Amino acid sequence: MSQEKLAKEIVELVGGEKNVESLVHCATRLRFVLKDDAKADKAKLEKTEGIIAVKENGGQFQVVVGNKVPEVYSAIGQISNILDDSSDKEKPRKAAKGLGGIIDIISSIFAPLLGVMAGAGILKGLLLIASNIGWLKTTETTYTILYAAADSLFYFLPLLLAVTTARKFQGNMFVAMTIAGALIYPSIVTLKSEGTPTDFFGIPVILMNYSSTVIPIILAVIVMSKLEKFFNKTLHDSVKNFVTPLFLLVIMVPLTLLVFGPFGVYVGNGIAAGLVAAFGFSPLLAGAVMGASWQLLVIFGIHWGLIPVFINNVAVYGQDGVKPAATASIFAQTGAAFGVMLKTKNKKLKTLAGSSTLTALFGITEPAIYGVTLPLKRPFIAGVIGGAVGGAIIGQAGTLAFASGAPGLLTLPIFYGPGGQGFPGLILGIVVSFVVSAVLTYIMGFKDPVEEEIKTESTTSDQQSVRATNASDENVFSPIEGTIVELSEVPDPAFASGAMGKGIAIEPTVGRVVAPFDGTVTVAFKKKHALAVVSDTGAEILVHVGVDTVKLDGQHFVSHIKEGDRVQAGDLLLEFNIAQIKAAGYHTVTPIIVTNSANYEEVIPQARGQVSSQELLLKLSSGNVQEQK
């Protein structure tokens, strides 16, 4: 599916453009804030090709699409006004409260920066390695230029956070950037560095170093956005466009330097000091807890609460001792997915687990978690155990992070500091977490999804491997009343590709399946969603009601047959509730497949548009074909 088509489907299924209050994306997820979550069709989204999972966390409606998220995000911007800050929007929904509201705010502010932050972090880590082993000297201009490229994001972080915070709170992002710029303005920096006593109309100002800080500018822009709305409502239209920014600058810059700045710095440092103290008390235990819990925090979106702490530690102390243990959790879930790939007999799952393992190695674990380990349960538990073991090793080794970036193979350089202290412990920890998780997954096992195979009448294994099939012409009458659909349009590749055999599909209008000819029931699936009948002359027909309806586990179906039953054309075989199946989020389009199509020269559709039950549907033209067993 093209990115543009996927983008259209996503926008439609989240309730349309008018239902979207805001949209940001992180490494793998589109993070919507919707005006009304009830308008989003979560079930259909989860079944849409190209979507890995759909989650509702922290006041956000999250659509996981994997590594292609930037392209899908861009496509949404091209087909809609969702990303246009100037577009007219309806009244937004009431903001989430409590922990959910906090997580929503943090993720919306930081998610747009994660990609460039990871890239800058990798470059910073590589420069650390290059300088430590003597490849580059810090006095060389080459190093200076590259370090500027790596560090500029972190140095000017208040400016970038001003943009994302203003966007979240619907404030003027240019005024927000100007306030952030004032915090790191050269003359202000000079006052701080020289220790010059500073006051504002006699009120003492406690100056801080605001480059790379997080909390001060976020607090300032939140308050700014509230004041901006007040002034825009109060001032006359003829002057508000320039008077409102004037008032905001005059009020907010001094207020930030006097109050929000020092308060934010102290709060950030206090939280960071608390976590550092925990690792100081018992680095092994703290590392184990972080390694075990990080992916659980990710699933519920709570990990966003720790990301500002990681960034603050690097900004204030030049290093962070909390984040490295989370790396073990990443590689543990990678190992669990690898264990699934080794053990499963299901070809589709094996392919998914293999690709997810590769993606997770580079820090993108959503496909592995939501597509493999979490649905199978035991592999996810194995990953939690492996993460705890690896995290304990990393914590005890005293590994530190010296730059920001999502943990993965490419970002390992950010953990390499002077002399490489703690780096061997990191490598040992992630290897152990991977191996322990993979081995536990293989040993503990899981309920392996067996690929649904269509049973057809055939010779036994001790019969000859080649048999001559002398098929006769056969008329197949419609087993269902409804609308004809081309087989290629069925939203299931196994049927649409013709891999199951030739045939046709029907979108049913009546929930009844009747016998398409005189014959014998060869398959009556336990979950009642499908059946197969062989005619007296050898034609084998599969009727599969809906797509993925096996997952309903027999709900909304009533079967009137068992395997081996003799049936006459028109006999009632199966009943199903169309409305309830659709309400559960499943397509009801029904493929009708000639599973032994190879025995016929032609399978010719006879009906178009609307078709009634027992109306001629297919003609099978016979041939004498050698069928290989």
Side-chain angles (χ1 to χ4, degrees):
M1 182 184 293
S2 69
Q3 310 303 359
E4 185 179 59
K5 185 176 180 182
L6 179 58
K8 286 180 180 177
E9 292 200 23
I10 290 173
V11 171
E12 179 182 347
L13 293 175
V14 297
E17 182 178 339
K18 290 184 178 180
N19 193 40
V20 179
E21 180 181 336
S22 65
L23 170 63
V24 295
H25 76 83
C26 56
T28 60
R29 308 183 192 193
L30 296 167
R31 296 175 175 270
F32 290 91
V33 175
L34 303 180
K35 296 186 174 99
D36 184 358
D37 288 346
K39 291 182 179 180
D41 194 332
K42 183 178 178 182
K44 283 189 178 179
L45 275 167
E46 289 177 327
K47 296 181 184 306
T48 299
E49 180 186 349
I51 293 176
I52 298 168
V54 179
K55 301 292 173 184
E56 295 179 74
N57 289 324
Q60 295 183 333
F61 192 87
Q62 303 172 13
V63 182
V64 184
V65 296
N67 294 333
K68 60 190 175 186
V69 68
E71 291 82 3
V72 178
Y73 178 83
S74 177
I76 289 175
Q78 305 221 347
I79 65 168
S80 72
N81 293 318
I82 290 174
L83 306 185
D84 184 0
D85 287 318
S86 65
S87 63
D88 293 331
K89 304 213 174 183
E90 295 180 1
K91 184 179 179 181
R93 71 170 188 177
K94 191 176 181 180
K97 295 182 178 180
L99 180 61
I102 294 171
I103 297 302
D104 172 37
I105 291 170
I106 295 174
S107 60
S108 297
I109 291 171
F110 285 94
L113 304 179
L114 291 185
V116 64
M117 194 172 285
I122 293 169
L123 179 55
K124 207 168 185 180
L126 291 173
L127 287 173
L128 283 171
I129 294 175
S131 62
N132 285 336
I133 63 179
W135 288 355
L136 271 178
K137 293 181 179 179
T138 57
T139 55
E140 294 181 51
T141 54
T142 299
Y143 179 91
T144 301
I145 292 171
L146 290 175
Y147 191 82
D151 194 52
S152 63
L153 177 142
F154 303 101
Y155 185 88
F156 294 107
L157 187 60
L159 286 166
L160 300 177
L161 292 176
V163 173
T164 56
T165 307
R167 185 168 186 175
K168 172 62 180 175
F169 288 92
Q170 299 178 339
N172 187 315
M173 66 177 64
F174 300 106
V175 175
M177 290 177 68
T178 304
I179 294 170
L183 298 181
I184 55 176
Y185 193 72
S187 60
I188 299 294
V189 173
T190 301
L191 288 175
K192 163 63 178 172
S193 61
E194 294 179 353
T196 305
T198 306
D199 67 86
F200 182 74
F201 288 113
I203 303 173
V205 177
I206 302 173
L207 291 176
M208 301 283 181
N209 182 6
Y210 292 111
S211 69
S212 303
T213 56
V214 172
I215 299 178
I217 190 60
I218 292 176
L219 293 175
V221 174
I222 291 174
V223 174
M224 181 214 81
S225 68
K226 305 297 183 184
L227 284 176
E228 181 183 0
K229 292 179 177 63
F230 169 76
F231 287 131
N232 282 339
K233 287 180 181 178
T234 305
L235 297 172
H236 192 273
D237 288 346
S238 62
V239 298
K240 70 180 182 181
N241 285 341
F242 52 87
V243 174
T244 293
L246 169 64
F247 284 172
L248 292 177
L249 292 175
V250 170
I251 294 171
M252 289 309 306
V253 172
L255 189 60
T256 302
L257 291 172
L258 285 166
V259 180
F260 299 135
F263 175 78
V265 171
Y266 288 141
V267 169
N269 291 351
I271 296 173
L275 287 173
V276 169
F279 273 81
F281 173 74
S282 176
L284 187 144
L285 179 60
V289 171
M290 180 63 73
S293 63
W294 181 252
Q295 288 302 324
L296 289 169
L297 298 179
V298 169
I299 289 173
F300 293 104
I302 301 174
H303 69 299
W304 285 104
L306 291 175
I307 288 177
V309 177
F310 298 159
I311 296 172
N312 185 80
N313 281 346
V314 173
V316 175
Y317 304 113
Q319 60 192 33
D320 171 54
V322 181
K323 181 177 183 176
T327 308
S329 185
I330 303 290
F331 284 88
Q333 290 299 324
T334 307
F338 183 69
V340 171
M341 184 191 74
L342 294 179
K343 191 172 183 68
T344 183
K345 299 296 189 295
N346 183 301
K347 292 180 181 178
K348 183 178 179 181
L349 179 58
K350 187 179 287 289
T351 300
L352 176 61
S355 62
S356 298
T357 298
L358 183 62
T359 304
L361 283 171
F362 295 98
I364 309 300
T365 55
E366 275 87 345
I369 292 174
Y370 295 125
V372 182
T373 64
L374 194 58
L376 296 175
K377 297 181 178 66
R378 289 181 184 175
F380 184 80
I381 295 171
V384 170
I385 295 171
V389 176
I393 293 171
I394 293 171
Q396 189 63 37
T399 306
L400 300 172
F402 297 91
S404 299
L409 281 181
L410 289 178
T411 54
L412 290 182
I414 71 175
F415 302 103
Y416 190 95
Q421 183 179 358
F423 192 72
L426 175 81
I427 300 302
L428 177 62
I430 62 177
V431 170
V432 169
S433 63
F434 182 95
V435 172
V436 168
S437 300
V439 171
L440 281 178
T441 297
Y442 199 91
I443 293 173
M444 292 166 60
F446 46 86
K447 187 176 180 181
D448 197 8
V450 179
E451 290 184 274
E452 192 177 312
E453 297 180 356
I454 305 305
K455 304 174 185 177
T456 56
E457 194 173 321
S458 62
T459 58
T460 58
S461 59
D462 58 345
Q463 290 178 311
Q464 59 185 20
S465 61
V466 179
R467 64 179 172 90
T469 303
N470 295 304
S472 302
D473 288 350
E474 183 74 69
N475 289 331
V476 178
F477 297 94
S478 179
I480 292 179
E481 181 175 334
T483 304
I484 295 294
V485 177
E486 292 293 329
L487 198 61
S488 60
E489 297 178 10
V490 173
D492 186 322
F495 294 113
S497 65
M500 305 297 298
K502 297 178 181 178
I504 204 162
I506 296 176
E507 182 63 55
T509 54
V510 178
R512 289 165 51 91
V513 178
V514 300
F517 40 52
D518 297 344
T520 304
V521 176
T522 56
V523 178
F525 285 92
K526 292 180 180 179
K527 298 188 178 181
K528 306 173 187 177
H529 64 295
L531 56 89
V533 184
V534 61
S535 73
D536 293 337
T537 57
E540 299 167 351
I541 298 295
L542 166 73
V543 181
H544 193 289
V545 179
V547 176
D548 284 337
T549 46
V550 63
K551 296 177 182 177
L552 289 171
D553 202 25
Q555 293 183 69
H556 317 314
F557 291 93
V558 177
S559 177
H560 297 282
I561 54 169
K562 61 180 182 298
E563 291 181 7
D565 282 354
R566 282 285 305 164
V567 294
Q568 302 294 315
D571 285 353
L572 179 62
L573 308 181
L574 179 68
E575 291 180 287
F576 56 97
N577 190 307
I578 298 173
Q580 289 180 347
I581 293 172
K582 287 184 176 180
Y586 295 88
H587 292 284
T588 54
V589 62
T590 300
I592 298 162
I593 306 296
V594 182
T595 53
N596 61 340
S597 299
N599 294 352
Y600 297 91
E601 289 182 349
E602 291 184 285
V603 175
I604 310 168
Q606 298 296 303
R608 293 183 179 178
Q610 294 296 119
V611 62
S612 301
S613 176
Q614 286 298 285
E615 183 179 337
L616 183 59
L617 184 68
L618 300 170
K619 274 194 173 184
L620 312 184
S621 178
S622 64
N624 193 353
V625 185
Q626 291 294 312
E627 182 184 4
Q628 299 293 329
K629 274 191 63 77

